[in-house]
Amino acid sequence: MKRIFSVITILALSVSLFATESVDSVAVKQGKKEKKESSVQLHGSFQTDILVPEEDKAIGATADDPFLSNSYLNLNLTSTYVNAGARLELMHKPLPGFEQGFAGGGIKGLYVSGGYKYFNVTIGDIYDQFGSGMLFRAYEERTLGVDNAIRGARVILTPYKGITFKALGGMQRQYFNFNKDNAYGFDFSKNSMMGFNLDLDIDQWSQFMMDNDYHLRLGGSFVSKYNEDEEIVIMDNTGGYRLVLPKFVGAGEVRADFSHAGWRAMLEYAYKANDPTAENDYSYRPGQALFASLGYSQKGMSILAQVKRSENMVFRSDRGLGATAGNLNNMPAFGYTHTYACASNLPYATQANGEWAYQLELAYKFKPKTAMGGKYGTTFKLRGTYILGLDKDTVAKVRGTLWGTDVYTTKFFSTGDEYYLDTHLEFNKRITKNFSMIALYMYQRYNQEVIRGHGEFLQAHTIVTDFQIKCSKNVNLRIEGQYQYTTQSKEDYEIGGHDYGNNVFGLVELSLFKDFMISASDNYYFRSDINYYNITFAYSHGPHRVQLAYLRAKEGYNCNGGVCRQIPAQKGLTVGYFVQF
């Protein structure tokens, strides 16, 4: 433990010195103390989040370790033609909610890239995305524990205006494993992948389109993974048989993106060959996904309508993995990510094995000095999300099991059970020069059995008020009040042990001199008679930010982009530090 403290302290001090000396660029003093920027620049960031946990039997919080932390150091060296970077991670005792596979420490990422005119080559750890990500997305989201970088090589070619071609391949990162058998701190996929992507900006070839604000991009992608053979044996009264699993699984995608004068339309379709895994009951049915979007915006008004159908689109580098590990793709999220406490109690996680999802967003700002706009104008936002399952008919079993079959049949436009409904109206109004408010009403329908694997169908009504007051030039005050009513029964609470019932939330936040922030909040649940509180102090100066908090937090789900991670209840002191240089 002392070694962890020492390393973190040294890193923090080193990075602080870097930031204090402003090494945003390598500079050379010349003449009258003028600094001339070099072509070589060093950028980076350091972040550490620490929890000193306390046991709290009332909420199920444990304190098995005296100290938990996640720390990251990023360094990037850039120049005219060559860039390089590295990331160090220290997560020997990860924060609650991160699987034990994340435990470790060492150099997590390395890359070197170089380019000249029409090409760029990267060797090392690669983050990239094809289209919306339905077929391939390698990205990092620290709060969710997602880091599925591809370690290998990538080539980007731009041989002519409007043409971009990418080719990449390698092995995918999984968690963090630092031991004598894995000296470099990587737990790689035993399998490999490759991908190709082509984007054509058609408007770049037409003077008429460029002169009249027409934009059209056509794209296509292909991704293939190689899986080592494994034995999946199904036992029956004849002695059993072994599934023949595909070693190569390919997937393709086509897409179009058109925009003109405030309008934008997108269409994307992906198809994946059969990919039997434990998640889809070793189904040999191919996967497919369709995504369509139409939007219009102008000053003071916008509208967006989207629809998505996905089926059997789990696509992992290793077929035996689960949770957030080994995902090669990421389906577009349709569940809105709420930031208010009560509104975020029932988040939706994308069901990659199949769903129909619809979304509509409307925003309108009434102009100032009108009946609805008042002196400063008024903004209304209406959002709605409706998600259904697929209408599936189970196929006949073979030798007593569905494994090794298509598992089900379905018609493309048929829909099944309701999964999720979220509709909310938001009102944003500046009343005086120093006083503004946000009011929100939300109605939700939530299928716990599908989304969380247990529980009854819930309905919830949520009301939020957010008042912002400018007390003086250097003092700002924000006050939140929230209430949520749900239909959770006493039986569901007692069986599941999770309180999703009626609750109320309040917050007071004071900002001083743009550098200091003090906040206190409390979330009270009526049925369990428990308060969940958070007292936070934060200070920002230049590139530095320090945060200290004492909290009692309810177990729940942290969601972003349709990906969710379960977070256990926790209580204790948290410390956070971040610097960018």
Side-chain angles (χ1 to χ4, degrees), residues 445-482:
R445 294 170 61 87
Y446 196 81
N447 191 329
Q448 286 195 92
E449 185 65 35
V450 171
I451 301 169
R452 297 184 173 177
H454 61 82
E456 63 189 10
F457 200 101
L458 298 180
Q459 298 183 56
H461 300 268
T462 305
I463 297 174
V464 176
T465 56
D466 184 346
F467 301 100
Q468 300 168 36
I469 306 167
K470 186 176 179 63
C471 303
S472 67
K473 181 180 178 180
N474 297 313
V475 179
N476 292 284
L477 179 66
R478 190 167 72 89
I479 302 173
E480 282 184 24
Q482 305 176 37

Side-chain angles (χ1 to χ4, degrees), residues 51-55 61-68 96 570-573:
L51 169 66
V52 182
E54 296 179 16
E55 184 179 9
T62 61
D64 298 328
D65 295 291
F67 178 88
L68 304 173
Q570 53 190 289
K571 179 182 179 181
L573 178 70

Side-chain angles (χ1 to χ4, degrees), residues 328-505:
L328 288 170
N329 65 341
N330 177 245
M331 301 303 295
F334 270 56
Y336 186 76
T337 301
H338 292 279
T339 56
Y340 289 109
C342 289
S344 63
N345 279 337
L346 300 173
Y348 180 76
T350 301
Q351 304 300 303
N353 275 329
E355 65 180 21
W356 269 105
Y358 309 89
Q359 191 171 67
L360 179 66
E361 296 186 12
L362 301 170
Y364 188 83
K365 182 176 182 179
F366 290 93
K367 295 180 180 180
K369 299 180 181 180
T370 62
M372 292 294 292
K375 184 177 181 180
Y376 297 97
T378 305
T379 299
F380 285 92
K381 295 180 182 179
L382 176 64
R383 299 186 180 98
T385 298
Y386 190 44
I387 302 176
L388 302 163
L390 305 181
D391 184 16
K392 299 178 180 180
D393 294 319
T394 304
V395 302
K397 293 183 179 181
V398 176
R399 299 172 72 171
T401 181
L402 291 174
W403 285 17
T405 69
D406 280 359
V407 178
Y408 66 90
T409 61
T410 183
K411 295 179 181 179
F412 188 87
F413 290 103
S414 63
T415 59
D417 295 336
E418 180 181 337
Y419 287 176
Y420 181 73
L421 170 69
D422 174 354
T423 178
H424 57 276
L425 176 66
E426 181 180 310
F427 166 86
N428 195 322
K429 174 72 175 176
R430 178 176 292 277
I431 299 173
T432 69
K433 181 180 179 181
N434 298 318
F435 178 64
S436 60
M437 69 169 293
I438 297 173
L440 179 144
Y441 166 75
M442 179 175 69
Y443 172 68
Q444 287 177 291
R445 294 170 61 87
Y446 196 81
N447 191 329
Q448 286 195 92
E449 185 65 35
V450 171
I451 301 169
R452 297 184 173 177
H454 61 82
E456 63 189 10
F457 200 101
L458 298 180
Q459 298 183 56
H461 300 268
T462 305
I463 297 174
V464 176
T465 56
D466 184 346
F467 301 100
Q468 300 168 36
I469 306 167
K470 186 176 179 63
C471 303
S472 67
K473 181 180 178 180
N474 297 313
V475 179
N476 292 284
L477 179 66
R478 190 167 72 89
I479 302 173
E480 282 184 24
Q482 305 176 37
Y483 175 75
Q484 183 176 64
Y485 166 82
T486 79
T487 60
Q488 185 189 34
S489 66
K490 182 179 180 181
E491 291 74 21
D492 183 78
Y493 166 63
E494 292 176 345
I495 293 173
H498 304 286
D499 190 351
Y500 302 126
N502 302 347
N503 64 100
V504 63
F505 176 89

Side-chain angles (χ1 to χ4, degrees), residues 65-290:
D65 295 291
F67 178 88
L68 304 173
S69 71
N70 292 4
S71 299
Y72 313 86
L73 173 64
N74 288 313
L75 294 174
N76 293 287
L77 194 66
T78 63
S79 67
T80 305
Y81 299 111
V82 179
N83 301 321
R87 178 153 81 229
L88 173 70
E89 290 188 2
L90 295 176
M91 298 173 64
H92 293 277
K93 296 290 184 180
L95 293 174
F98 289 78
E99 296 98 310
Q100 190 57 34
F102 284 102
I107 299 175
K108 175 258 147 193
L110 291 167
Y111 78 92
V112 177
S113 67
Y116 181 72
K117 290 188 176 180
Y118 311 119
F119 76 94
N120 180 277
V121 178
T122 301
I123 298 175
D125 295 286
I126 299 164
Y127 298 96
D128 209 329
Q129 177 173 319
F130 297 166
S132 67
M134 290 199 306
L135 205 63
F136 172 71
R137 186 186 183 196
Y139 71 109
E140 180 201 17
E141 178 53 63
R142 291 179 187 173
T143 59
L144 296 176
V146 175
D147 192 339
N148 54 3
I150 303 298
R151 171 160 283 193
R154 179 186 62 190
V155 177
I156 302 176
L157 301 177
T158 53
Y160 187 71
K161 66 177 182 179
I163 300 177
T164 303
F165 174 77
K166 294 180 183 179
L168 57 85
M171 296 187 298
Q172 190 178 47
R173 185 203 185 196
Q174 299 169 8
Y175 299 126
F176 207 136
N177 183 15
F178 189 61
N179 55 43
K180 63 181 181 180
D181 299 321
N182 190 4
Y184 295 100
F186 294 89
D187 187 3
F188 277 120
S189 162
K190 296 178 292 185
N191 307 312
S192 58
M193 63 79 60
M194 63 178 179
F196 305 92
N197 184 77
L198 177 65
D199 286 316
L200 304 175
D201 292 309
I202 306 300
D203 53 282
Q204 296 296 308
W205 307 338
S206 170
Q207 192 61 47
F208 172 81
M209 295 182 72
M210 290 190 291
D211 292 343
N212 292 277
D213 191 31
Y214 287 96
H215 303 276
L216 175 61
R217 169 174 284 191
L218 302 179
S221 307
F222 175 79
V223 175
S224 176
K225 66 168 183 171
Y226 169 77
N227 287 148
E228 290 184 344
D229 197 15
E230 62 179 292
E231 281 198 7
I232 303 296
V233 178
I234 299 175
M235 303 302 296
D236 62 11
N237 54 15
T238 66
Y241 61 95
R242 182 177 183 271
L243 292 181
V244 179
L245 301 174
K247 290 186 178 181
F248 291 93
V249 178
E253 176 187 88
V254 291
R255 58 187 177 272
D257 186 346
F258 174 79
S259 63
H260 171 66
W263 288 93
R264 185 178 183 185
M266 293 186 291
L267 184 65
E268 191 169 353
Y269 176 76
Y271 179 89
K272 178 174 68 74
N274 62 78
D275 184 18
T277 68
E279 286 182 277
N280 64 10
D281 294 326
Y282 290 98
S283 169
Y284 280 70
R285 183 180 177 87
Q288 57 180 328
L290 175 69

